[in-house]
Amino acid sequence: MTTEIAYNSAVSPSSELMTFMASSPRGLADLLASELQGFGASDVRERSRGVVFLGTLETAYRACLGSRIANRVLLELACFEAADAAQLYQGARALDWSRHIGPGATIACDFTGRHPTITHTHFGALKVKDALCDALREQVGFRPDVARERPSVRIHAHASDTRITLSIDLSGESLHRRGYRADAGEAPLKENVAAGMLLRAGWGRLAADGALFLDPLCGSGTLNIEAAMIAAGMAPGRYRDYYGFLGWRGHDAALWSSVCAEAEARLRTDLGAEPLIWGQDRDSRVIRVAQRNAERAGVAALVRFETRPLSEARPPDIGGPPSLAGPPDSAGAPSVAVPHGLLCTNPPYGVRLADRDSARQVHRELGAVLRERFQGWDVAVLTGAPELGLELGIRAHRTHVLWNGAIECRLLRMKVTEQSLREPGRLSRRERGVAGASAAERSLADTAGARMFANRLAKNLKRLGSWAKRERISCYRLYDADMPEYAFAIDLYHAIGPEPDELWLYVQEYAAPSDIEPEAVRRRRGEVLATLPEVTGISAERIRVRMRRRTRRGEQYVKVGEDARLHVIAEGGLRFQVNFDDYLDTGLFLDHRLTRSRLRERSDGARFLNLCAYTGAATVYAAAGGAASTTSVDLSRTYLEWAQRNLSLNGLAGSRHAMVQADCREWLRDAARDRGGERYDVIFLDPPTFSNSKRMQGVLDIARDHPALLDACARLLAPKGLIVFSTNAQRFRLEPSLEQRLDVRDISAATLPLDFERNPRIHRCFEVRLRQ
């Protein structure tokens, strides 16, 4: 098989545009995009963990030297499809590696992403390395050595399903390693995360205006040093002695020297003799570490560190350390005028300190100091436990989600004013009024994360509510993991009942990856459940929660309840029963709303077959559309009885509508043997992704079995008939040979409702006809 490869011009004149990808800590991609535009990048496109952009080699050099946010800068070499390891090897070997790697150079290879068959990153990296080395030996007669640390050239392969992107890692190692930190405190903050905090808090503007800076829990001084570098206009990579492009054959040494000289020319020399950036910590050992780090970073003249407890933190007075801000007056405030500044800190939050009570006390003490002595100051506090923000007693006017390594955090931005003060650990009057919420739930409703979730939910409710009213849609998806850290699908149902507005919320929580701490999962669940009644006005008694998880082989979803009340909802002028309590799904797949409408339009006078019929919603639509007859086949007697009730609910029951309890595969085989049997004008096939029910023979795996199912359906299809095939398999790939013997058209986009647009992979849908 020939692999088609899209090449990017890699060794090229410095003015030629090339494609790059810069990665960043999660939550900071927008700041990185802004930086890159300042470096001259064009066509900048944000991704969840980085930015793709066009630029020259000079743009990339500026990013490597001057980005405060980026982790790595990758130069794209080629993109190609690789269904397996052999095709990965073939695609990688096809490149002319001699343009990038010279004799005597060392290499390292990385492999990231998710691939359907290459499931071990080390194996993927090994295949790329073998391809590269074999290509060089064939092209120029040498084989490079592998160097785990600081190779001459680092190759990066990324898989997005079967799509492979090969790149040169121009940074070589993560750019957060500025080169100044030899030692760290108890819970070190990554340098680029610290810079992101400062930029989010507006420190660049504040520093230009002469504002002061204080971190009263400075540890090894990372925030202080990054603040000093920003104030001085110092390139964060100024003292790095290693980059991935230095051993690359495309490196332009003269251009790099020019970029470095340009950065040196931007250094500020007008900052004066007095320090602007102050740090304190009660641990004298980490203060000594911080001082050494500042010296290595070249900012020691701008930073002053003191060994001092949090309780003694005060706004610094120009001309003396924080402790010399003047004796306190009777209220405990400094007697001198309080200068304006930014207090930015990363207090312990129970992840880096095992004692959560101790972390709570630190937050409470910090809040007391802020309220007493820092009126008028801007404040930015990073916490990995958002509920601890309550202890500060100051309302955050902005919150941001960002990640420090694997720890999900919130950056709380505050302005210390009389209007922003609140009682520590308590909720506002509005939040205390959340109906049906326990005290613990109400406390979660006040966290920064809960407020962010509430804002997003309120926006969705306003936008989608107006759309649903205009389109006369009574049940729709309100939220679908819009914020990745709140991985929930929330559906709103307007049930027809004794009350005029019987609204229900059906909440499905996507199972968290194994690397997310269970406590974080529980906290987010609590924040969501505490927020929903307040934002939607739907009482907690009408909110149902289910857990969505990926099934493993041999597993499938089972009944989770018994004998719950059934509710009736309306869709498309028809009525259906739904069950909010007994099953993982309610009985009506809302993402098939448009698919069902298409079936109704095509069913006038048709013989309609519904395979894997579930609760018969498609059958009801077909019958309402004037189908001459319908046949619904499903293995479950419970679902077939449900389907019969749905037909009766719409006045459509009768002998023309047959219900057949059978394994669809066996039924199709039997029907095909009956050569004089009925043929169908419209067949709807919506099988489960996987099933191993005890009542069926063998196992159904739709990725494997869909060609046989479609061929069997085709044998029952009338001339000019239509098969509508749908699947919710997340990584479904249609067997190519089907398109050689059947007329197949992908209608997935046309059947995706507006309320599911955030998740275009919710289902794949195809129209299949016999070739004429």
Side-chain angles (χ1 to χ4, degrees), residues 47 74 109 265 276 550 627 765:
R47 298 291 185 264
L74 307 175
C109 296
L276 297 172
R550 287 189 177 184
C765 199

Side-chain angles (χ1 to χ4, degrees), residues 73 175 185 253 289 469 518 522 594 619 635 670 687 698 726 752:
V73 177
L175 294 171
V289 170
K469 184 177 181 180
R522 287 191 294 270
L594 296 179
T619 300
L635 191 59
D670 292 341
S726 181
L752 184 69

